[in-house]
Amino acid sequence: MSDRNTPPLELPGLTIGISGPRRRSLAHRLISLTLRWYGARSHYIRPGSRVNVDQLDGLVLSGGTHVHPAIFGQQPRVTARYDRLRDATDHRLLAEARALGMPVLGICRGAQFINVFQGGTLCQNVTPLRVHTRHRPLLLPLQTVRLVADSGLRRWMQASVVGANRIHSQAIRRLGRDLRVVALDNDGFVQAVEGRDGPWLLGVQWHPEYLLYHAGHRGIFRAFVEAALNFKRSRLEPGPEGDSPILSKE
């Protein structure tokens, strides 16, 4: 993966938390590998873990089971796998990360969870609503995604139209507070959101970790690690009155 996404030579001990299901999958190993490529260590967080978020420099909410509809005020309308313990864990992790101003990347379920956390809702099954896009899950980048101009995502991916995969049948319905839509598919379903203001926040509906052979998808991880590095550096700076750095306990 030698291209413009080549990592910097030295990073000051970055640690990224990856929240996922109890058992790690290939997707989570690929995320970890990519973060390591760009200079960051990773710490896998299973449902129910009491990891200290303050010790992290960034948070990835990865893919997995459906977000339970009760979180956004609905009853389940489809047969799906849920993990209420993971929902609770992701909520705590995201709440603490946002309070700290920590960069957050949501992938598939993670993007949906960010939207729900911000007060939005989800469509529980978009499959029967699709007209111009394929109905079956896709691991290959056969889904056309259009990126919004003047967005971080377009800048990081260096493209206005990209190919993406699709695995999940849930999708963002009502947009959450302080988010903006930055990518759509050909049926108009939201494919990515960013935070309007404040700390670095991105959620993508697809799985870029399966598309690392494309420089644009690697660019998402590069931008995230760079944001984590900036966050780390900001915490290492002395306070206004010469206080010790926040991370001195590391």
Side-chain angles (χ1 to χ4, degrees), residues 21-42:
R22 186 162 299 280
R23 296 186 63 180
R24 294 180 67 185
S25 69
L26 175 61
H28 304 103
R29 296 182 188 282
L30 288 172
I31 294 170
S32 180
L33 175 66
T34 311
L35 294 175
R36 181 175 291 277
W37 172 258
Y38 288 119
R41 301 188 302 265
S42 64

Side-chain angles (χ1 to χ4, degrees), residues 70-86:
I71 300 177
F72 49 94
Q74 296 181 10
Q75 293 296 320
R77 297 171 184 166
V78 298
T79 301
R81 291 187 303 114
Y82 300 109
D83 187 339
R84 300 303 301 272
L85 182 59
R86 184 175 176 195

Side-chain angles (χ1 to χ4, degrees), residues 88-146:
T89 302
D90 280 356
H91 187 278
R92 181 185 71 83
L93 293 172
L94 185 53
E96 294 185 17
R98 295 293 285 164
L100 290 167
M102 181 179 296
V104 176
L105 171 62
I107 296 174
C108 195
R109 168 198 153 91
Q112 299 155 10
F113 200 90
I114 288 171
N115 187 67
V116 170
F117 180 85
Q118 295 295 124
T121 64
L122 304 178
C123 176
Q124 295 188 39
N125 184 16
V126 300
T127 301
L129 304 178
R130 293 191 175 279
V131 176
H132 304 293
T133 55
R134 295 173 182 264
H135 295 274
R136 63 180 182 273
L138 302 165
L139 271 179
L140 295 175
L142 299 178
Q143 176 180 223
T144 299
V145 174
R146 304 182 186 280

Side-chain angles (χ1 to χ4, degrees), residues 149-162:
D150 192 31
S151 66
L153 184 62
R154 183 165 175 172
R155 185 168 64 253
W156 302 322
M157 297 195 74
Q158 295 285 297
S160 58
V161 179
V162 299

